[in-house]
């Protein structure tokens, strides 16, 4: 399945709802957090319906826990399916991770062990979820702060094998790659070069907190220079891929985010031979 190149987008956040509706800023598309729209109505839907009349929208979930070993949460999947039908998104994504163990919810996105067993498990779960939803799911790489002694391969080899096995595609978070590369002391471009370019459906750019000995993926800062550099280098091997600025805390003004978005556009426009800002 091919994914349309939508251009350069932003995560849709509540503080910007009214300004977006009033000003119709030069943003190509918006990404919503899926679970925020599992309600029947109210203000989130009031604003979203107005915004999606003017902009393409994609959905991004945070609670599927595709890697958990317990039964799939059919109530969650039905709520997601209902929301997809109402939003009519360009595509739907979630994270390649687990967050639940038994009845315990970690409220964090925990990395998978990179083993043959986990590969088979994920392939089966992805097939089940896509069958239930009746559509393709895209999965995001997560940042990590630990590794598993039982892992049999690198994260990038695991993702490449998962794509080869299932055809699933990825939302490549460049910041998450950089965070994990720093924390585990591997080369970020080695990771990115190992993933087939046809497997990349979307890109996230975000910021983090750097503590010297380690860095934490916080999505509450501007995209740092090292992540911009990694994105620009990675773009040289990709065709145009829809790219988004993601900010989840310390959100700031819409104009500040649009300034970052324009930087992304200008960085890769010559590489991808894109026209200048399409107002």
């Amino acid at each position: 399945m091919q994914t349309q190149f939508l251009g350069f987008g932003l995560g849709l956040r509540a503080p910007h709802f009214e300004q977006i509706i009033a000003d119709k800023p030069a943003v190509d598309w918006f990404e919503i957090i899926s679970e925020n729209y599992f309600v029947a109505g109210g203000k989130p839907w009031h604003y979203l319906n107005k915004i999606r009349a003017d902009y393409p929208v994609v959905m991004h979930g945070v609670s599927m826990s595709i890697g958990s070993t317990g039964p799939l949460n059919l109530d969650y999947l039905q709520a997601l399916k209902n929301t997809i039908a109402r939003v009519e998104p360009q595509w739907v994504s979630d994270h390649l991770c687990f967050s639940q163990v038994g009845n315990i919810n970690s409220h964090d996105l925990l990395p998978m062990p990179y083993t043959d067993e986990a590969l088979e498990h994920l392939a089966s779960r992805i097939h089940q979820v896509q069958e239930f939803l009746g559509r393709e799911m895209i999965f995001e790489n997560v940042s990590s702060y630990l590794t598993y002694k039982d892992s049999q391969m690198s994260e990038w080899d695991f993702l490449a094998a998962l794509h080869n096995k299932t055809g699933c595609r990825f939302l490549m978070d460049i910041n998450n790659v950089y965070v994990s590369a720093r924390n585990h002391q591997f080369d970020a471009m080695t990771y990115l070069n190992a993933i087939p370019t046809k497997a990349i459906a979307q890109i996230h750019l975000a910021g983090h907190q750097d503590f010297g000995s380690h860095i934490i993926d916080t999505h509450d800062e501007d995209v740092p220079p090292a992540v911009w550099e990694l994105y620009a280098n990675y773009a040289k091997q990709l065709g145009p891929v829809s790219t988004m600025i993601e900010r989840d805390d310390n959100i700031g003004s819409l104009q500040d985010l649009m300034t970052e978005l324009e930087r992304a556009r200008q960085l890769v426009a010559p590489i991808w031979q894109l026209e200048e800002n399409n107002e």
Side-chain angles (χ1 to χ4, degrees):
M1 177 179 175
Q2 293 293 320
T3 299
Q4 179 186 2
F5 175 58
L6 296 183
F8 299 84
L10 292 177
L12 184 61
R13 301 296 182 259
H16 302 146
F17 283 166
E18 293 186 357
Q19 186 179 355
I20 291 167
I21 292 167
D23 297 347
K24 293 182 172 54
V27 176
D28 295 331
W29 54 280
F30 287 99
E31 180 188 86
I32 65 170
I33 302 300
S34 302
E35 291 82 359
N36 289 349
Y37 298 87
F38 281 10
V39 295
K43 284 188 175 181
W45 277 104
H46 168 77
Y47 289 117
L48 178 59
N49 285 332
K50 289 179 178 291
I51 291 167
R52 74 187 187 95
D54 295 316
Y55 298 93
V57 170
V58 307
M59 290 173 55
H60 183 53
V62 297
S63 303
M64 182 175 288
S65 192
I66 188 74
S68 292
T69 56
L72 288 166
N73 185 336
L74 296 183
D75 290 338
Y76 174 88
L77 290 177
Q78 188 61 59
L80 179 61
K81 188 171 184 176
N82 294 344
T83 305
I84 290 169
R86 292 182 67 184
V87 174
E88 299 179 307
Q90 302 293 312
W91 59 79
V92 183
S93 65
D94 206 291
H95 297 81
L96 200 63
C97 70
F98 69 99
S99 55
Q100 293 178 310
V101 180
N103 295 323
I104 299 173
N105 191 326
S106 71
H107 300 289
D108 206 348
L109 304 173
L110 302 174
M112 300 294 296
Y114 302 124
T115 64
D116 291 331
E117 182 182 13
L119 187 65
E120 294 294 332
H121 175 66
L122 276 176
S124 173
R125 299 272 280 199
I126 289 171
H127 174 73
Q128 292 175 64
V129 166
Q130 292 184 152
E131 282 288 305
F132 186 94
L133 297 177
R135 66 182 296 149
E136 178 193 29
M137 283 289 302
I138 292 166
F139 290 98
E140 178 181 353
N141 59 300
V142 297
S143 54
S144 64
Y145 312 98
L146 56 82
T147 57
Y148 298 95
K149 291 182 179 179
D150 289 342
S151 286
Q152 299 163 327
M153 64 192 88
S154 66
E155 180 180 349
W156 50 93
D157 286 337
F158 185 87
L159 294 185
L162 186 64
H163 170 72
N164 290 335
K165 191 173 189 63
T166 66
C168 80
R169 295 181 302 146
F170 305 117
L171 191 176
M172 187 59 65
D173 190 311
I174 304 299
N175 178 66
N176 289 356
V177 174
Y178 179 79
V179 167
S180 296
R182 277 276 305 275
N183 287 339
H184 304 310
Q185 299 183 339
F186 62 76
D187 178 64
M189 282 306 302
T190 296
Y191 181 122
L192 293 170
N193 288 334
I195 312 300
T197 56
K198 66 180 181 179
I200 308 303
Q202 183 187 338
I203 287 174
H204 272 175
L205 297 171
H208 55 254
Q209 295 279 350
D210 191 333
F211 296 94
S213 61
H214 63 285
I215 53 180
I216 303 293
D217 174 30
T218 53
H219 289 186
D220 62 357
E221 297 285 340
D222 292 345
V223 179
V227 174
W228 284 124
E229 181 180 2
L230 187 59
Y231 173 56
N233 288 336
Y234 189 38
K236 295 173 185 176
Q237 70 188 52
L238 294 174
V241 175
S242 302
T243 296
M244 192 197 96
I245 302 294
E246 187 177 34
R247 183 72 74 93
D248 294 321
D249 199 4
N250 187 27
I251 291 173
S253 72
L254 180 60
Q255 186 54 55
D256 286 345
L257 293 178
M258 289 179 62
T259 298
E260 282 202 290
L261 195 62
E262 184 59 21
R263 180 172 181 180
R265 188 194 305 272
Q266 295 303 324
L267 266 179
V268 299
I271 300 169
W272 292 343
Q273 298 183 331
L274 302 176
E275 296 179 1
E276 291 301 312
N277 194 351
N278 48 346
E279 299 290 338

